[in-house]
Amino acid sequence: QVQLVESGGGLVQAGGSLRLACTVSSRPYSSHVLGWFRQGPGKGREFVASMRWGRRSTYYADAVKDRFTISRDGADNTVYLQMNNLKPEDTAVYYCNRGTEPYSPGAYWGQGTQVTVSS
């Protein structure tokens, strides 16, 4: 059973930065997509960013493009989400996911990490 463990959430003021990390218990295949989704208060879960493990091609939601960056450390089976210029509307629980499609989640989820941006 694949496990994904997130870390790095917290409370930050608007305009600040946070970096989330997600470590996968088994090495992803090159075709796997590691991604981040979020669920804000009273909202559904939405796509944020993803990366195809082998090609390192990246995909972003329009709301975070130019502010968030997804990257990977192959040695540690870890994917990162660097979040800059955070806004109050970025407040959400952020979930790591492993799937095979850039914008749609797969079957494996992490437990989630809370990100709160104060105005």
Side-chain angles (χ1 to χ4, degrees), residues 9-68:
L11 173 64
V12 65
Q13 289 187 332
S17 299
L18 282 174
R19 189 176 79 155
L20 306 182
C22 170
T23 299
V24 188
S25 61
S26 61
R27 182 168 184 80
Y29 294 155
S30 60
S31 60
H32 282 148
V33 173
L34 273 294
W36 293 93
F37 292 75
R38 67 185 182 186
Q39 187 164 13
K43 298 181 181 179
R45 198 169 295 190
E46 63 177 3
F47 168 77
V48 176
S50 65
M51 169 182 281
R52 194 169 295 280
W53 190 257
R55 293 183 178 180
R56 305 193 189 193
S57 46
T58 58
Y59 309 85
Y60 295 95
D62 288 342
V64 307
K65 201 172 294 184
D66 300 326
R67 297 189 298 123
F68 291 10

Short mmCIF file of all heavy atoms in Angstrom, two decimals, residues 9-68:
data_model
loop_
_atom_site.label_atom_id
_atom_site.label_comp_id
_atom_site.label_asym_id
_atom_site.label_seq_id
_atom_site.Cartn_x
_atom_site.Cartn_y
_atom_site.Cartn_z
N GLY A 9 2.82 22.68 6.35
CA GLY A 9 1.75 23.66 6.46
C GLY A 9 1.94 24.57 7.66
O GLY A 9 2.86 24.40 8.47
N GLY A 10 1.07 25.57 7.77
CA GLY A 10 1.15 26.48 8.90
C GLY A 10 0.37 27.75 8.67
O GLY A 10 -0.44 27.84 7.74
N LEU A 11 0.64 28.73 9.53
CA LEU A 11 -0.03 30.03 9.47
C LEU A 11 0.97 31.06 8.95
O LEU A 11 2.11 31.13 9.44
CB LEU A 11 -0.51 30.43 10.86
CG LEU A 11 -1.08 31.84 11.04
CD1 LEU A 11 -2.34 32.01 10.21
CD2 LEU A 11 -1.34 32.11 12.52
N VAL A 12 0.55 31.85 7.98
CA VAL A 12 1.43 32.85 7.39
C VAL A 12 0.60 34.08 7.04
O VAL A 12 -0.61 33.96 6.77
CB VAL A 12 2.15 32.28 6.16
CG1 VAL A 12 1.17 31.95 5.05
CG2 VAL A 12 3.24 33.21 5.66
N GLN A 13 1.22 35.24 7.04
CA GLN A 13 0.53 36.46 6.63
C GLN A 13 0.47 36.55 5.11
O GLN A 13 1.32 35.98 4.40
CB GLN A 13 1.24 37.68 7.20
CG GLN A 13 1.09 37.84 8.70
CD GLN A 13 1.66 39.16 9.19
OE1 GLN A 13 2.58 39.71 8.59
NE2 GLN A 13 1.12 39.67 10.29
N ALA A 14 -0.51 37.28 4.63
CA ALA A 14 -0.63 37.51 3.19
C ALA A 14 0.67 38.09 2.65
O ALA A 14 1.29 38.97 3.28
CB ALA A 14 -1.80 38.44 2.90
N GLY A 15 1.09 37.57 1.49
CA GLY A 15 2.35 37.98 0.90
C GLY A 15 3.53 37.10 1.31
O GLY A 15 4.61 37.21 0.72
N GLY A 16 3.32 36.25 2.28
CA GLY A 16 4.39 35.38 2.76
C GLY A 16 4.52 34.11 1.93
O GLY A 16 3.85 33.93 0.91
N SER A 17 5.41 33.21 2.39
CA SER A 17 5.73 31.99 1.65
C SER A 17 5.69 30.78 2.58
O SER A 17 5.95 30.91 3.79
CB SER A 17 7.12 32.09 1.02
OG SER A 17 7.20 33.15 0.10
N LEU A 18 5.40 29.64 2.01
CA LEU A 18 5.49 28.36 2.69
C LEU A 18 5.95 27.32 1.67
O LEU A 18 5.71 27.48 0.47
CB LEU A 18 4.13 27.91 3.25
CG LEU A 18 3.62 28.53 4.54
CD1 LEU A 18 2.20 28.06 4.82
CD2 LEU A 18 4.53 28.22 5.72
N ARG A 19 6.60 26.26 2.16
CA ARG A 19 6.94 25.14 1.30
C ARG A 19 6.37 23.87 1.89
O ARG A 19 6.66 23.52 3.04
CB ARG A 19 8.45 25.00 1.13
CG ARG A 19 8.83 23.97 0.05
CD ARG A 19 10.30 23.88 -0.22
NE ARG A 19 11.02 23.10 0.78
CZ ARG A 19 12.17 22.47 0.55
NH1 ARG A 19 12.72 22.54 -0.65
NH2 ARG A 19 12.76 21.79 1.51
N LEU A 20 5.57 23.19 1.08
CA LEU A 20 5.01 21.90 1.47
C LEU A 20 5.88 20.78 0.89
O LEU A 20 6.46 20.94 -0.18
CB LEU A 20 3.58 21.76 0.96
CG LEU A 20 2.60 22.87 1.32
CD1 LEU A 20 1.21 22.52 0.78
CD2 LEU A 20 2.55 23.10 2.81
N ALA A 21 5.93 19.68 1.60
CA ALA A 21 6.65 18.50 1.13
C ALA A 21 5.74 17.28 1.22
O ALA A 21 4.89 17.19 2.13
CB ALA A 21 7.91 18.27 1.97
N CYS A 22 5.92 16.37 0.29
CA CYS A 22 5.17 15.11 0.28
C CYS A 22 6.13 13.98 -0.04
O CYS A 22 6.71 13.97 -1.14
CB CYS A 22 4.04 15.17 -0.74
SG CYS A 22 3.21 13.59 -1.04
N THR A 23 6.30 13.07 0.89
CA THR A 23 7.19 11.93 0.69
C THR A 23 6.36 10.69 0.43
O THR A 23 5.42 10.39 1.17
CB THR A 23 8.09 11.73 1.91
OG1 THR A 23 8.88 12.91 2.09
CG2 THR A 23 9.01 10.54 1.70
N VAL A 24 6.73 9.98 -0.64
CA VAL A 24 6.01 8.78 -1.06
C VAL A 24 6.78 7.56 -0.56
O VAL A 24 8.01 7.51 -0.65
CB VAL A 24 5.88 8.74 -2.59
CG1 VAL A 24 4.95 7.61 -3.01
CG2 VAL A 24 5.36 10.06 -3.12
N SER A 25 6.03 6.56 -0.05
CA SER A 25 6.68 5.41 0.58
C SER A 25 7.39 4.51 -0.41
O SER A 25 8.34 3.81 -0.05
CB SER A 25 5.65 4.59 1.37
OG SER A 25 4.64 4.10 0.51
N SER A 26 6.95 4.50 -1.67
CA SER A 26 7.62 3.70 -2.69
C SER A 26 7.92 4.58 -3.89
O SER A 26 7.18 5.51 -4.19
CB SER A 26 6.74 2.52 -3.11
OG SER A 26 5.53 2.96 -3.66
N ARG A 27 9.03 4.28 -4.55
CA ARG A 27 9.49 5.14 -5.64
C ARG A 27 8.44 5.18 -6.75
O ARG A 27 8.03 4.13 -7.26
CB ARG A 27 10.81 4.63 -6.20
CG ARG A 27 11.37 5.50 -7.31
CD ARG A 27 12.78 5.17 -7.66
NE ARG A 27 13.33 6.07 -8.65
CZ ARG A 27 13.79 7.28 -8.39
NH1 ARG A 27 13.78 7.72 -7.15
NH2 ARG A 27 14.28 8.05 -9.35
N PRO A 28 8.03 6.38 -7.16
CA PRO A 28 7.05 6.48 -8.24
C PRO A 28 7.64 5.98 -9.56
O PRO A 28 8.85 6.10 -9.80
CB PRO A 28 6.75 7.97 -8.32
CG PRO A 28 7.16 8.53 -7.00
CD PRO A 28 8.33 7.71 -6.58
N TYR A 29 6.77 5.44 -10.44
CA TYR A 29 7.21 5.11 -11.78
C TYR A 29 7.32 6.41 -12.58
O TYR A 29 6.76 7.44 -12.22
CB TYR A 29 6.19 4.20 -12.46
CG TYR A 29 6.05 2.83 -11.84
CD1 TYR A 29 4.88 2.09 -11.97
CD2 TYR A 29 7.08 2.26 -11.10
CE1 TYR A 29 4.74 0.84 -11.42
CE2 TYR A 29 6.96 1.01 -10.53
CZ TYR A 29 5.78 0.31 -10.70
OH TYR A 29 5.64 -0.94 -10.14
N SER A 30 8.04 6.36 -13.68
CA SER A 30 8.21 7.56 -14.50
C SER A 30 6.87 8.07 -15.04
O SER A 30 6.71 9.26 -15.29
CB SER A 30 9.17 7.29 -15.65
OG SER A 30 8.67 6.25 -16.48
N SER A 31 5.90 7.20 -15.19
CA SER A 31 4.59 7.60 -15.72
C SER A 31 3.66 8.17 -14.65
O SER A 31 2.62 8.76 -14.97
CB SER A 31 3.90 6.41 -16.38
OG SER A 31 3.72 5.37 -15.43
N HIS A 32 4.02 8.03 -13.39
CA HIS A 32 3.17 8.54 -12.32
C HIS A 32 3.17 10.06 -12.29
O HIS A 32 4.15 10.71 -12.65
CB HIS A 32 3.62 8.00 -10.97
CG HIS A 32 3.19 6.59 -10.72
ND1 HIS A 32 3.93 5.71 -9.96
CD2 HIS A 32 2.08 5.91 -11.11
CE1 HIS A 32 3.31 4.55 -9.91
NE2 HIS A 32 2.17 4.65 -10.60
N VAL A 33 2.06 10.59 -11.83
CA VAL A 33 1.92 12.03 -11.63
C VAL A 33 1.75 12.27 -10.13
O VAL A 33 0.85 11.70 -9.50
CB VAL A 33 0.70 12.58 -12.40
CG1 VAL A 33 0.47 14.05 -12.03
CG2 VAL A 33 0.91 12.43 -13.90
N LEU A 34 2.62 13.09 -9.57
CA LEU A 34 2.51 13.52 -8.18
C LEU A 34 1.92 14.92 -8.17
O LEU A 34 2.44 15.81 -8.87
CB LEU A 34 3.86 13.51 -7.49
CG LEU A 34 4.34 12.19 -6.86
CD1 LEU A 34 3.44 11.82 -5.68
CD2 LEU A 34 4.39 11.09 -7.87
N GLY A 35 0.87 15.11 -7.41
CA GLY A 35 0.19 16.39 -7.46
C GLY A 35 -0.30 16.88 -6.13
O GLY A 35 -0.25 16.17 -5.12
N TRP A 36 -0.73 18.12 -6.12
CA TRP A 36 -1.30 18.77 -4.95
C TRP A 36 -2.72 19.24 -5.29
O TRP A 36 -2.95 19.83 -6.35
CB TRP A 36 -0.46 19.97 -4.53
CG TRP A 36 0.89 19.61 -4.00
CD1 TRP A 36 2.05 19.54 -4.70
CD2 TRP A 36 1.21 19.25 -2.65
NE1 TRP A 36 3.08 19.15 -3.88
CE2 TRP A 36 2.59 18.99 -2.61
CE3 TRP A 36 0.48 19.15 -1.47
CZ2 TRP A 36 3.26 18.61 -1.44
CZ3 TRP A 36 1.14 18.78 -0.30
CH2 TRP A 36 2.51 18.51 -0.29
N PHE A 37 -3.61 18.96 -4.36
CA PHE A 37 -4.99 19.44 -4.44
C PHE A 37 -5.27 20.16 -3.13
O PHE A 37 -4.58 19.96 -2.14
CB PHE A 37 -5.95 18.28 -4.63
CG PHE A 37 -5.82 17.61 -5.98
CD1 PHE A 37 -4.75 16.77 -6.26
CD2 PHE A 37 -6.75 17.83 -6.97
CE1 PHE A 37 -4.61 16.17 -7.50
CE2 PHE A 37 -6.63 17.23 -8.21
CZ PHE A 37 -5.56 16.40 -8.47
N ARG A 38 -6.30 20.99 -3.11
CA ARG A 38 -6.64 21.69 -1.87
C ARG A 38 -8.15 21.78 -1.71
O ARG A 38 -8.89 21.74 -2.69
CB ARG A 38 -6.02 23.09 -1.84
CG ARG A 38 -6.59 24.06 -2.87
CD ARG A 38 -5.81 25.37 -2.83
NE ARG A 38 -6.36 26.34 -3.78
CZ ARG A 38 -5.80 27.52 -4.04
NH1 ARG A 38 -4.68 27.89 -3.43
NH2 ARG A 38 -6.36 28.34 -4.91
N GLN A 39 -8.56 21.92 -0.45
CA GLN A 39 -9.97 22.07 -0.13
C GLN A 39 -10.12 23.19 0.88
O GLN A 39 -9.70 23.06 2.04
CB GLN A 39 -10.56 20.78 0.41
CG GLN A 39 -12.06 20.83 0.60
CD GLN A 39 -12.69 19.45 0.76
OE1 GLN A 39 -12.00 18.46 0.97
NE2 GLN A 39 -14.00 19.39 0.64
N GLY A 40 -10.67 24.31 0.42
CA GLY A 40 -10.90 25.45 1.29
C GLY A 40 -12.19 25.31 2.08
O GLY A 40 -13.00 24.43 1.80
N PRO A 41 -12.41 26.19 3.04
CA PRO A 41 -13.63 26.13 3.87
C PRO A 41 -14.89 26.22 3.02
O PRO A 41 -15.05 27.17 2.24
CB PRO A 41 -13.48 27.35 4.78
CG PRO A 41 -12.03 27.68 4.78
CD PRO A 41 -11.51 27.28 3.44
N GLY A 42 -15.75 25.24 3.13
CA GLY A 42 -17.01 25.24 2.39
C GLY A 42 -16.88 25.01 0.90
O GLY A 42 -17.83 25.26 0.15
N LYS A 43 -15.71 24.54 0.47
CA LYS A 43 -15.49 24.33 -0.96
C LYS A 43 -15.18 22.88 -1.27
O LYS A 43 -14.83 22.11 -0.37
CB LYS A 43 -14.33 25.21 -1.44
CG LYS A 43 -14.55 26.70 -1.28
CD LYS A 43 -13.34 27.46 -1.79
CE LYS A 43 -13.52 28.95 -1.63
NZ LYS A 43 -12.34 29.72 -2.12
N GLY A 44 -15.24 22.52 -2.54
CA GLY A 44 -14.83 21.21 -2.96
C GLY A 44 -13.32 21.14 -3.14
O GLY A 44 -12.62 22.15 -3.10
N ARG A 45 -12.82 19.94 -3.31
CA ARG A 45 -11.39 19.77 -3.51
C ARG A 45 -11.04 20.18 -4.93
O ARG A 45 -11.72 19.78 -5.88
CB ARG A 45 -11.01 18.32 -3.25
CG ARG A 45 -9.53 18.10 -3.00
CD ARG A 45 -9.24 16.70 -2.48
NE ARG A 45 -9.81 16.48 -1.16
CZ ARG A 45 -9.54 15.41 -0.41
NH1 ARG A 45 -8.70 14.49 -0.86
NH2 ARG A 45 -10.10 15.27 0.76
N GLU A 46 -9.94 20.95 -5.07
CA GLU A 46 -9.57 21.46 -6.39
C GLU A 46 -8.10 21.20 -6.69
O GLU A 46 -7.26 21.14 -5.79
CB GLU A 46 -9.85 22.96 -6.50
CG GLU A 46 -9.06 23.82 -5.56
CD GLU A 46 -9.32 25.31 -5.75
OE1 GLU A 46 -10.16 25.68 -6.60
OE2 GLU A 46 -8.67 26.11 -5.05
N PHE A 47 -7.80 21.09 -7.95
CA PHE A 47 -6.43 20.88 -8.42
C PHE A 47 -5.60 22.13 -8.19
O PHE A 47 -6.07 23.26 -8.39
CB PHE A 47 -6.46 20.54 -9.91
CG PHE A 47 -5.11 20.59 -10.58
CD1 PHE A 47 -4.21 19.55 -10.42
CD2 PHE A 47 -4.76 21.67 -11.38
CE1 PHE A 47 -2.97 19.59 -11.03
CE2 PHE A 47 -3.53 21.71 -12.00
CZ PHE A 47 -2.63 20.68 -11.83
N VAL A 48 -4.34 21.93 -7.78
CA VAL A 48 -3.41 23.05 -7.58
C VAL A 48 -2.23 22.94 -8.55
O VAL A 48 -1.97 23.86 -9.33
CB VAL A 48 -2.89 23.08 -6.13
CG1 VAL A 48 -1.85 24.18 -5.96
CG2 VAL A 48 -4.03 23.26 -5.14
N ALA A 49 -1.49 21.85 -8.48
CA ALA A 49 -0.30 21.67 -9.31
C ALA A 49 0.07 20.20 -9.35
O ALA A 49 -0.28 19.45 -8.43
CB ALA A 49 0.87 22.49 -8.76
N SER A 50 0.79 19.82 -10.41
CA SER A 50 1.25 18.43 -10.49
C SER A 50 2.50 18.34 -11.35
O SER A 50 2.85 19.28 -12.08
CB SER A 50 0.14 17.52 -11.05
OG SER A 50 -0.15 17.86 -12.39
N MET A 51 3.15 17.17 -11.23
CA MET A 51 4.38 16.93 -11.98
C MET A 51 4.41 15.46 -12.40
O MET A 51 4.16 14.58 -11.57
CB MET A 51 5.60 17.25 -11.12
CG MET A 51 6.92 16.78 -11.72
SD MET A 51 8.33 17.11 -10.68
CE MET A 51 8.58 18.86 -11.02
N ARG A 52 4.73 15.22 -13.67
CA ARG A 52 4.95 13.84 -14.10
C ARG A 52 6.35 13.46 -13.67
O ARG A 52 7.32 14.16 -14.00
CB ARG A 52 4.76 13.70 -15.61
CG ARG A 52 4.66 12.24 -16.04
CD ARG A 52 4.22 12.09 -17.47
NE ARG A 52 2.86 12.56 -17.72
CZ ARG A 52 1.75 11.87 -17.45
NH1 ARG A 52 1.84 10.67 -16.89
NH2 ARG A 52 0.57 12.37 -17.75
N TRP A 53 6.44 12.33 -12.95
CA TRP A 53 7.68 12.01 -12.24
C TRP A 53 8.86 11.87 -13.18
O TRP A 53 9.93 12.41 -12.92
CB TRP A 53 7.48 10.73 -11.44
CG TRP A 53 8.60 10.46 -10.50
CD1 TRP A 53 9.61 9.55 -10.65
CD2 TRP A 53 8.84 11.12 -9.24
NE1 TRP A 53 10.45 9.61 -9.56
CE2 TRP A 53 10.00 10.55 -8.69
CE3 TRP A 53 8.17 12.13 -8.54
CZ2 TRP A 53 10.51 10.95 -7.47
CZ3 TRP A 53 8.68 12.54 -7.32
CH2 TRP A 53 9.84 11.95 -6.80
N GLY A 54 8.71 11.14 -14.27
CA GLY A 54 9.84 10.89 -15.15
C GLY A 54 10.25 12.11 -15.95
O GLY A 54 11.41 12.51 -15.95
N ARG A 55 9.31 12.72 -16.67
CA ARG A 55 9.63 13.84 -17.55
C ARG A 55 9.82 15.14 -16.79
O ARG A 55 10.33 16.11 -17.33
CB ARG A 55 8.50 14.05 -18.57
CG ARG A 55 8.36 12.93 -19.58
CD ARG A 55 7.26 13.29 -20.57
NE ARG A 55 7.09 12.27 -21.58
CZ ARG A 55 6.20 12.35 -22.56
NH1 ARG A 55 5.40 13.40 -22.65
NH2 ARG A 55 6.10 11.39 -23.45
N ARG A 56 9.30 15.19 -15.57
CA ARG A 56 9.31 16.41 -14.75
C ARG A 56 8.49 17.53 -15.38
O ARG A 56 8.69 18.70 -15.04
CB ARG A 56 10.73 16.91 -14.46
CG ARG A 56 11.62 15.86 -13.83
CD ARG A 56 12.88 16.45 -13.28
NE ARG A 56 13.83 15.43 -12.87
CZ ARG A 56 14.89 15.67 -12.13
NH1 ARG A 56 15.15 16.87 -11.70
NH2 ARG A 56 15.71 14.68 -11.81
N SER A 57 7.59 17.20 -16.28
CA SER A 57 6.70 18.21 -16.83
C SER A 57 5.73 18.65 -15.73
O SER A 57 5.29 17.85 -14.92
CB SER A 57 5.93 17.65 -18.02
OG SER A 57 5.42 16.37 -17.74
N THR A 58 5.42 19.94 -15.70
CA THR A 58 4.63 20.51 -14.62
C THR A 58 3.34 21.13 -15.13
O THR A 58 3.25 21.57 -16.29
CB THR A 58 5.43 21.57 -13.85
OG1 THR A 58 5.84 22.60 -14.76
CG2 THR A 58 6.66 20.95 -13.19
N TYR A 59 2.34 21.16 -14.24
CA TYR A 59 1.02 21.65 -14.58
C TYR A 59 0.50 22.47 -13.40
O TYR A 59 0.72 22.08 -12.25
CB TYR A 59 0.08 20.48 -14.86
CG TYR A 59 0.64 19.48 -15.84
CD1 TYR A 59 1.48 18.46 -15.42
CD2 TYR A 59 0.37 19.59 -17.20
CE1 TYR A 59 2.03 17.55 -16.32
CE2 TYR A 59 0.90 18.69 -18.11
CZ TYR A 59 1.73 17.68 -17.66
OH TYR A 59 2.27 16.79 -18.55
N TYR A 60 -0.18 23.58 -13.68
CA TYR A 60 -0.65 24.46 -12.63
C TYR A 60 -2.08 24.93 -12.88
O TYR A 60 -2.49 25.12 -14.03
CB TYR A 60 0.24 25.71 -12.53
CG TYR A 60 1.66 25.41 -12.12
CD1 TYR A 60 2.66 25.25 -13.07
CD2 TYR A 60 2.00 25.30 -10.77
CE1 TYR A 60 3.96 24.97 -12.69
CE2 TYR A 60 3.30 25.03 -10.39
CZ TYR A 60 4.27 24.86 -11.35
OH TYR A 60 5.57 24.58 -10.96
N ALA A 61 -2.81 25.14 -11.80
CA ALA A 61 -4.09 25.82 -11.89
C ALA A 61 -3.84 27.30 -12.16
O ALA A 61 -2.83 27.87 -11.71
CB ALA A 61 -4.86 25.65 -10.59
N ASP A 62 -4.74 27.94 -12.88
CA ASP A 62 -4.56 29.36 -13.21
C ASP A 62 -4.43 30.21 -11.95
O ASP A 62 -3.69 31.20 -11.93
CB ASP A 62 -5.75 29.86 -14.03
CG ASP A 62 -5.74 29.32 -15.45
OD1 ASP A 62 -4.68 28.84 -15.91
OD2 ASP A 62 -6.79 29.38 -16.11
N ALA A 63 -5.12 29.83 -10.88
CA ALA A 63 -5.13 30.64 -9.66
C ALA A 63 -3.78 30.71 -8.98
O ALA A 63 -3.53 31.62 -8.18
CB ALA A 63 -6.18 30.10 -8.70
N VAL A 64 -2.89 29.74 -9.27
CA VAL A 64 -1.60 29.70 -8.57
C VAL A 64 -0.41 29.87 -9.51
O VAL A 64 0.73 29.96 -9.03
CB VAL A 64 -1.45 28.39 -7.76
CG1 VAL A 64 -2.65 28.18 -6.85
CG2 VAL A 64 -1.24 27.19 -8.67
N LYS A 65 -0.67 29.90 -10.80
CA LYS A 65 0.42 30.02 -11.77
C LYS A 65 1.21 31.29 -11.47
O LYS A 65 0.65 32.33 -11.17
CB LYS A 65 -0.19 30.06 -13.17
CG LYS A 65 0.76 29.69 -14.27
CD LYS A 65 0.02 29.58 -15.59
CE LYS A 65 -0.95 28.43 -15.59
NZ LYS A 65 -1.61 28.26 -16.92
N ASP A 66 2.50 31.22 -11.57
CA ASP A 66 3.43 32.33 -11.32
C ASP A 66 3.63 32.62 -9.83
O ASP A 66 4.43 33.50 -9.49
CB ASP A 66 2.98 33.63 -12.01
CG ASP A 66 2.89 33.49 -13.51
OD1 ASP A 66 3.71 32.74 -14.09
OD2 ASP A 66 2.00 34.11 -14.12
N ARG A 67 2.90 31.92 -8.95
CA ARG A 67 3.14 32.09 -7.51
C ARG A 67 3.62 30.79 -6.86
O ARG A 67 4.40 30.84 -5.90
CB ARG A 67 1.84 32.53 -6.81
CG ARG A 67 1.32 33.88 -7.26
CD ARG A 67 0.18 34.36 -6.38
NE ARG A 67 -0.98 33.44 -6.43
CZ ARG A 67 -1.51 32.86 -5.36
NH1 ARG A 67 -1.00 33.06 -4.16
NH2 ARG A 67 -2.56 32.06 -5.49
N PHE A 68 3.17 29.66 -7.36
CA PHE A 68 3.53 28.36 -6.79
C PHE A 68 4.46 27.63 -7.75
O PHE A 68 4.33 27.76 -8.98
CB PHE A 68 2.29 27.50 -6.57
CG PHE A 68 1.35 27.96 -5.49
CD1 PHE A 68 1.49 29.20 -4.88
CD2 PHE A 68 0.32 27.15 -5.07
CE1 PHE A 68 0.62 29.62 -3.87
CE2 PHE A 68 -0.57 27.54 -4.08
CZ PHE A 68 -0.41 28.78 -3.48
#
